[in-house]
């Protein structure tokens, strides 16, 4: 939060965050920093990869030519079943639409909503998006159906939102990967 470029949540916010992360790690020694980036990640807009390059970060899965399914298969082969099936968990700031300021209260809201829904519904995926028009909750289709049928969960959700200053009911939508991220013009 010390970097106003990060807090302003520009298109390349991840560059500032990852640059800070890698610099903080580097002060602890001369060891090579490795990331979990895999070949599938290279097809996305990933400004954090520029910061990684600037800090000499290595990407062993990329270097080995491994995409996400191969990384998961390798984890299973090594008996790391919990890790092999671990769902993607992007940072909470990725839920705040590009251009809206990142602050502690918005991140706490996202965390509280996603934790409540994850515990209550056990969804395959849940994202609480902060948008200019308000809060939007994205769930996989089965979890959306469970939420529609679960009045106590909806009541708890509305209580969490009100406690954090959100008066309007959230918009519910099916999950769309990267939907809070304004893509760069091609």
């Amino acid at each position: 939060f010390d970097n106003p470029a990060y807090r302003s949540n520009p298109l390349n916010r991840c560059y500032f965050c990852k640059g800070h992360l890698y610099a903080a790690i580097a002060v602890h020694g001369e060891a090579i920093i490795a990331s979990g980036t895999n070949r599938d990640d290279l097809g996305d807009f990933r400004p954090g990869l520029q910061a990684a390059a600037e800090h000499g970060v290595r990407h062993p899965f990329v270097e080995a030519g491994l995409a996400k399914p191969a990384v998961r298969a390798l984890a299973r082969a090594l008996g790391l079943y919990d890790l092999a099936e671990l769902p993607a968990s992007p940072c909470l700031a990725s839920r705040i639409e590009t251009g809206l300021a990142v602050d502690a209260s918005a991140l706490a809201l996202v965390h509280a909503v996603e934790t409540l829904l994850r515990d209550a519904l056990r969804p395959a995926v849940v994202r609480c998006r902060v948008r200019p028009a308000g809060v939007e909750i994205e769930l996989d289709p089965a979890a959306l159906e469970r939420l529609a049928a679960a009045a106590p969960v909806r009541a708890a959700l509305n209580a969490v939102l009100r406690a954090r200053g959100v008066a309007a009911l959230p918009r519910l939508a099916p999950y769309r990967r990267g939907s809070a991220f304004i893509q760069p013009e091609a």
Side-chain angles (χ1 to χ4, degrees):
F1 288 115
D2 292 341
N3 186 337
Y6 166 81
R7 282 193 328 273
S8 70
N9 198 12
L11 187 63
N12 65 340
R13 176 198 69 244
C14 297
Y15 169 80
F16 300 107
C17 180
K18 290 291 188 178
H20 176 80
L21 172 68
Y22 297 137
I25 292 170
V27 299
H28 294 286
E30 298 295 318
I32 294 172
I33 300 170
S35 86
T37 300
N38 63 69
R39 287 185 50 93
D40 289 340
D41 297 327
L42 302 180
D44 291 338
F45 177 65
R46 302 270 179 152
L49 290 175
Q50 179 184 348
E54 291 171 5
H55 289 273
V57 173
R58 302 278 305 268
H59 309 288
F61 296 136
V62 172
E63 293 170 18
L66 300 177
K68 189 167 300 216
V71 173
R72 290 184 184 280
L74 179 61
R76 279 190 294 278
L78 293 171
L80 304 171
Y81 302 105
D82 288 346
L83 291 176
E85 304 311 321
L86 198 64
S89 183
C91 81
L92 294 181
S94 71
R95 280 37 160 217
I96 301 171
E97 189 168 306
T98 303
L100 297 179
V102 174
D103 63 35
S105 64
L107 296 176
L109 166 73
V110 168
H111 176 71
V113 167
E114 290 187 8
T115 299
L116 169 78
L117 294 175
R118 196 173 292 112
D119 291 347
L121 301 174
R122 301 287 180 212
V125 64
V126 57
R127 297 292 187 269
C128 174
R129 308 285 189 191
V130 177
R131 303 195 182 284
V135 173
E136 179 176 295
I137 296 171
E138 297 179 359
L139 293 160
D140 59 274
L144 276 172
E145 287 181 25
R146 289 193 301 277
L147 180 59
V153 176
R154 291 193 315 275
L157 173 61
N158 290 332
V160 165
L161 291 168
R162 280 192 308 276
R164 286 173 171 70
V166 178
L169 293 176
R171 180 178 177 277
L172 301 176
Y175 169 70
R176 291 179 304 127
R177 185 171 174 260
S179 67
F181 189 62
I182 299 172
Q183 295 293 326
E185 296 295 322

